[in-house]
Amino acid sequence: MVAVDPSAASFHAQLRRAGLAPQPAHNKVLSGIRILMALFSADKLRIHSSCKELLKEIDGYVWDPKATERGEDAPLKQNDHGVDALRYAVKTTQHIWRPQINIPLSQGDREDERAT
């Protein structure tokens, strides 16, 4: 499966021309972050030490202080391409792994699952 950010229309088209069948990634940020946090906390998701750049991104992932002042939860969008890709992969493939892994769903995650 090739999951692509839905906003990357030209990349999607390029992949189709190359004979691939890209699927739109499930890219709801907060839901994806909550799922990653739950998997990490339950020790169900691990990142290999050779993934140095991804580990740096995860370590540097922070909440946007301006969004926080407005009462919103939003990450600061910088140096996050690897984390975004991880979030897309985990969220987009959850229909495959979720039956084998029991992690609690938040209300927002349950609503997201019903919408997909």
Side-chain angles (χ1 to χ4, degrees), residues 93-113:
T93 61
Q94 70 180 330
H95 65 282
I96 298 168
W97 58 262
R98 189 171 284 283
Q100 286 86 34
I101 297 176
N102 184 21
I103 59 168
L105 283 175
S106 71
Q107 179 64 33
D109 295 334
R110 283 191 289 276
E111 290 168 3
D112 284 351
E113 281 201 341

Side-chain angles (χ1 to χ4, degrees), residues 26-115:
H26 293 273
N27 67 343
K28 292 196 174 194
V29 176
L30 294 180
S31 176
I33 291 171
R34 282 191 299 264
I35 289 172
L36 289 178
M37 288 173 53
L39 289 169
F40 284 133
S41 294
D43 200 26
K44 299 295 184 181
L45 178 63
R46 298 177 183 175
I47 307 299
H48 193 272
S49 61
S50 66
C51 301
K52 295 180 188 321
E53 293 305 312
L54 178 57
L55 290 167
K56 278 189 216 174
E57 284 185 27
I58 291 170
D59 192 43
Y61 210 72
V62 295
W63 296 103
D64 183 341
K66 291 181 181 174
T68 302
E69 287 174 9
R70 295 188 304 267
E72 301 171 5
D73 288 329
L76 197 57
K77 298 299 290 173
Q78 62 184 24
N79 303 319
D80 63 350
H81 297 299
V83 175
D84 282 352
L86 176 62
R87 186 170 44 81
Y88 295 164
V90 168
K91 185 86 171 116
T92 302
T93 61
Q94 70 180 330
H95 65 282
I96 298 168
W97 58 262
R98 189 171 284 283
Q100 286 86 34
I101 297 176
N102 184 21
I103 59 168
L105 283 175
S106 71
Q107 179 64 33
D109 295 334
R110 283 191 289 276
E111 290 168 3
D112 284 351
E113 281 201 341
R114 283 193 294 275

